[in-house]
Amino acid sequence: MAAFIGELLIGWLLADLASGILHWLEDRMLRASWPIVGRYIVAPNRLHHLDPLAFTRCGVIERNWTSWIAVCLISAIWLLIAGPSVTWAAATIGGLVANEVHCWAHVPAATPAIFKPLQVAGIIQSPTEHWGHHRRDAAARYCVLTDLLNPLLDALRVWAVLEATLAAIGLRIDKEAV
């Protein structure tokens, strides 16, 4: 039983980390002027930083379809390479619900009652934890699935180190984007 719970937790945290990496890329590396990715991923993300409730005003499919495509592709590759596992299932489910959890962090009243205790426990992201991404320096609190990874990643300055490393090899960081 402990191994099963451990695999669930690892998968869930992998999904949270992936959400953070993708969110960081959207905020700092990708460009709204790029075809397709810019229009369907970067521009809505940038609007979200100007108006944090913008993405909550559309339906579930419109809010999540780009995330679902990315998660399904990554999940399929993982499945082909490593086969099914509890970790794979938890990561896939976490990835599929991450943006909806993000929505609930912005509109707590929209969180289904059954999930509210998970927000309180930090298993899914709480409004307090996520709002720090919008109030603080944009280079923090990128993970949107749980309250668990952001404090660690921010304390270790993961995003700043990543940006400095990429800048050192000549990649442009868009520090003014959000």
Side-chain angles (χ1 to χ4, degrees), residues 98-153:
N99 207 39
E100 203 59 21
V101 167
H102 178 203
C103 179
W104 298 340
H106 281 276
V107 186
T111 306
I114 193 168
F115 295 114
K116 288 187 185 277
L118 297 177
Q119 272 185 327
V120 171
I123 295 167
I124 64 172
Q125 192 161 74
S126 66
T128 303
E129 172 62 30
H130 180 64
W131 195 249
H133 175 71
H134 292 277
R135 287 189 305 214
R136 295 176 58 199
D137 176 1
R141 297 191 190 179
Y142 287 104
C143 300
V144 299
L145 184 58
T146 79
D147 285 358
L148 305 173
L149 290 182
N150 282 325
L152 175 64
L153 296 173

Side-chain angles (χ1 to χ4, degrees), residues 144-168:
V144 299
L145 184 58
T146 79
D147 285 358
L148 305 173
L149 290 182
N150 282 325
L152 175 64
L153 296 173
D154 292 349
L156 294 173
R157 297 180 29 86
V158 166
W159 309 113
V161 169
L162 183 58
E163 288 183 14
T165 303
L166 293 177

Side-chain angles (χ1 to χ4, degrees), residues 1-13 86-87 90-91 123 148:
M1 183 62 151
F4 177 79
I5 293 171
E7 285 189 54
L8 279 175
L9 182 61
I10 289 168
W12 198 250
L13 292 176
V86 173
T87 302
I123 295 167
L148 305 173

